[in-house]
Amino acid sequence: MKKILILMMATMLTLSMNAQKTIPLLPPQKTGGMSLMDAFANRKTNRDFSQKELTPKQLSNLLWAANGVNREDGRRTAPTARNAQQIEIYVLNKEGAYLYLPKEHALQLIAAGDHRTSGASQERFQECPLMLIFVANYNKMDGFNAEAKAMYECTDAGNVSQNVYLYCASEGLATCALGSIHREKLQELLKFNGKAILGQSVGVAK
């Protein structure tokens, strides 16, 4: 009987730990904000960020704007070739490395701990409070030949990056797209079948 109770407690603990690996985000704010033309006028690269964390509301809105679901049929805020939806966003902060789940609008913990140094190769960005990594998931690109895959993994990641730029412009946040990232380290850490295309730092502007 004692062994059964211990086994049940261990099972409940495991289930509890697994449940905590998926973190729901606040509902995104889909109305209001800066006008589109004003956002274009304010869009820029800004490498000067503070160590202040984004608020939960800002993080939620940022990820939804980047590549969230904006229609009932599951389509996204960023276009992809053949609606493959192959671009996935990984989030690195001091707490862990997470995968953004657009359908659930939640974060799934991939690796606990601070892995920001596995993202940007430039030291100045390794202390940014938030680093986004845009990954082309090859499991969703089976119908693409090598040439199409090479083209669309880059153009579609660029679409997501621009969404981030426009949101940051509207919110007054600092952001910078990064081609210099540790692609092999990221693949080893995050264990995806694909390629890390871009990184993008996001922080509160100084």
Side-chain angles (χ1 to χ4, degrees):
M1 183 67 178
K2 186 177 180 180
K3 289 183 179 180
I4 294 175
L5 288 173
I6 292 173
L7 181 60
M8 289 176 62
M9 290 176 64
T11 301
M12 291 175 64
L13 179 61
T14 300
L15 290 172
S16 176
M17 292 175 65
N18 289 336
Q20 292 176 4
K21 290 182 179 180
T22 300
I23 305 168
L25 295 165
L26 294 176
Q29 181 182 349
K30 301 179 182 179
T31 60
M34 181 181 287
S35 75
L36 177 61
M37 299 308 287
D38 285 339
F40 277 126
N42 286 280
R43 192 221 66 82
K44 63 183 177 181
T45 290
N46 185 350
R47 300 173 179 84
D48 296 322
F49 50 85
S50 71
Q51 290 302 306
K52 185 178 179 181
E53 301 283 344
L54 270 66
T55 67
K57 179 181 178 182
Q58 286 175 323
L59 179 61
S60 171
N61 291 344
L62 168 70
L63 292 173
W64 180 82
N67 203 18
V69 175
N70 69 346
R71 281 159 284 179
E72 291 184 359
D73 61 4
R75 293 175 186 257
R76 309 284 186 80
T77 57
T80 54
R82 306 177 197 172
N83 193 35
Q85 300 184 1
Q86 81 278 18
I87 302 302
E88 297 184 333
I89 302 176
Y90 288 86
V91 178
L92 308 183
N93 61 24
K94 65 181 182 181
E95 304 295 335
Y98 305 85
L99 172 64
Y100 174 53
L101 306 175
K103 292 180 180 179
E104 297 85 354
H105 194 58
L107 292 175
Q108 179 183 352
L109 178 64
I110 303 299
D114 191 346
H115 300 282
R116 289 175 294 174
T117 57
S118 296
S121 59
Q122 300 176 52
E123 289 187 9
R124 66 182 299 178
F125 294 106
Q126 292 177 357
E127 295 182 355
C128 187
L130 189 68
M131 178 63 63
L132 305 179
I133 305 294
F134 306 139
V135 170
N137 183 345
Y138 288 167
N139 293 334
K140 299 181 179 180
M141 301 186 78
D142 287 341
F144 293 77
N145 61 33
E147 182 179 2
K149 184 182 290 187
M151 179 173 69
Y152 289 121
E153 66 184 10
C154 294
T155 57
D156 293 347
N159 292 330
V160 176
S161 177
Q162 180 71 333
N163 281 2
V164 173
Y165 265 107
L166 291 175
Y167 174 75
C168 289
S170 72
E171 192 69 15
L173 298 172
T175 189
C176 178
L178 303 170
S180 298
I181 55 177
H182 294 299
R183 290 180 172 83
E184 292 184 2
K185 286 184 179 180
L186 287 166
Q187 191 159 28
E188 181 179 353
L189 170 68
L190 304 173
K191 304 185 187 310
F192 50 77
N193 175 30
K195 181 179 180 181
I197 307 299
L198 284 175
Q200 190 154 355
S201 62
V202 179
V204 177
K206 287 185 177 179

